[in-house]
Structures are given as structure tokens and as C-alpha cells.
Amino acid sequence: MARLDVVETFHGLMFSGHLHTQNSLELALKFPFQDTDIIIASYPKSGTTWIQEIVTLISNRGDPHMSQTVPNWTRAPWLEHYYFSVILEASPTKTRVITTHLPHHLLGPALQGSKAKIIYVSRNPKDVVVSFYHFHKMANFLPEPGSFSEFLKRFLEGTLHYGSWFDHIKGWTSQTATMNNLLHITYEEMSMDIQGAIKRVSSHLQSPLLEDEVNNCVKNCSFSSMLDNKMANYTLVTEDIMDHNKGSFMRKGKIGDWKNMFTEELNQYFKSVFDSKMEDCILEFVWDEQDKDETNANESH
Ligand code: A3P
């Protein structure tokens, strides 16, 4: 199934036809979750692959064998992708780990009453849009991104694939008050204190680890380890689908790279939209490297 230029519109959102069909999206909304499932939810480019690695490592008490021998899309398959059920069946993990980019307003009904352990990972939206822009250049199943200012406009309007970042983050994080099976963690928190982040995730998954095991997780989920890990760095994906000459999935892995793309004018434009859309939201963000020691990234739990 190539369908690289096909776009599926589903509930008003666009999805790549290379990975999704109307049927796979419909099935995702009706998926019978089990209380033992682990669900990783995120807007694209927020640190999904990183959390997949962390969850795999925690489940294996820091032993990297599985994360280095099984592709991440097999050990933590995407709920909405057309091959999901086949892969889930073949997944070697003891506990099912399911990844999704779907917004909460679509997936909420299927999760109603479920005790599945959910991890929602978010990231400073300025770094998300920059990472997503570069990813559009290399991913042949996504449209050409055009100029960065055009791309940013579409991001802020919510018309890119997977829809509005604002709806996504507000939809999922608003559930933390009532769903104690939902952990919200940020890319910045993982960046600033990976040890602490791993402990929070392992405690949420009720998989406490010994200090040595935590240290092994830290070592094996570092940017440099994942950059070298074919099972996580997407180099197994063929050139026709991801053009590895145009970029690397494991691109920079940094906080604050937005500064290399945003002009002052784009920054003001971003701020005006962000301030109005996030008016009703108390989340705080780490905006750049300098901020990171001062800002409390643990927004809501
Ligand atoms: P950049 O493009 O800014 O480098 P996702 O997995 O949600 O698609 O997110 C991809 C982003 O997470 C990329 O960001 C990638 O480099 C970054 N990333 C993945 N693993 C990481 C790690 N171990 N440490 C830091 N960043 C990581």
C-alpha cells in the first residue's frame, strides 16, 4: 500500500492515505481497549518515539535487547494505521503497548471506563512545528511543506495532518483532573531530567525499577543511542517513503531549536494566536534552552 499522495479526511481531520484508511480510522474509534493496555498518545513530533523507547526499556527492566531487535512500530504499533491489528497480534511485548496520534475528542468514547494506562506526551509547540516542518520534507507520505511561514500558518490554523495542536493538547490534558490512569509528561521534562522522567513513567506503569535498571534505561534512550538504533531511528523505512537524504528522523533532539526558524514577525504572530487559543489553559512551557532550568515543566499530573 503506497498511496503516498492520498489524503484521508476523517471527522474533518487529514491523515496520510499511506498509513490510514477510512476503515482503519473507524476501527480505531471502536477499539476494545483492555485494562492491561499501555497507551502512548501524542501530537506528532512531541517525543512519541522517545516515550516508546522508554516504555519498552522499562518493561524490560533496562535491558535493550527488545528495543534493539524489534522495530518500534511493532513493539508499540499505531492504533489508527491500517496494519494495526496484524502487527498487534505479532507484537512480542508482554503487555500491549499502543501508540496513537488521535485527539481525545475522537478517542475518548473508546477509552470511557477503561483502566488502560495512558501516557500523554507533549512538547513546546514552537519546537513541534519546526520538527514537523523538517519531517514533512523527508516524509514522502506528507505534502510538501512549502515555506516555513506558510507551514506555521497552517499549524496555527489546525489544517495540517492530524489537525490542531491546540485541540490536541487541551483535549488530552483536560482529562488529567478526572482520569488517574493518565500521565502527562513533557519532552522538556525528559530532556531536563531523564532519570526523574523514567521513574515517573515506571511508577505510573506500576513497574518500579532498581537504580541500576533506571540507569540502563537512561543510557539506552539517550538521543545518541536512539540515533544509532535502527529499530528506533526509522532508517529501516525505504527511501521511497522517507527520503533519508533530505533529513534524519532523529534530527536534533533539542529544546529551543525553533529559534533557528522563527523570525521576530513569526514569533509575534505565533504569540498572538497562542495567547488567544490557550487563554483557558494553565499549562506552562519551556520555550528555550535558557528557560529550562528555571521553568517548571511539570505542568499537570
Ligand atoms: P527534532 O526534529 O526536533 O530533532 P516524534 O517521535 O513524536 O515524531 O518526535 C520526534 C522528535 O523527537 C524529533 O525532534 C526527534 O529528534 C526527537 N527525539 C526522539 N528521540 C529523542 C531522544 N532520545 N532525545 C531527544 N529527542 C528525541
Side-chain angles (χ1 to χ4, degrees), residues 49-50 53 220-229 232-233 250:
T49 315
W50 199 0
E53 205 78 347
N220 290 297
C221 78
S222 69
F223 185 78
S224 59
S225 298
M226 289 178 61
L227 183 65
D228 285 345
N229 181 2
N233 65 16
M250 300 291 296

Side-chain angles (χ1 to χ4, degrees), residues 87-104:
I87 299 258
L88 187 67
E89 197 106 317
S91 178
T93 58
K94 278 187 259 134
T95 302
R96 302 195 306 187
V97 183
I98 298 166
T99 309
T100 184
H101 284 324
L102 291 176
H104 185 267

Side-chain angles (χ1 to χ4, degrees), residues 266-278:
L266 292 180
N267 204 22
Q268 285 309 322
Y269 167 47
F270 178 94
K271 186 174 171 358
S272 65
V273 178
F274 181 89
D275 287 350
S276 88
K277 296 252 190 202
M278 297 299 274

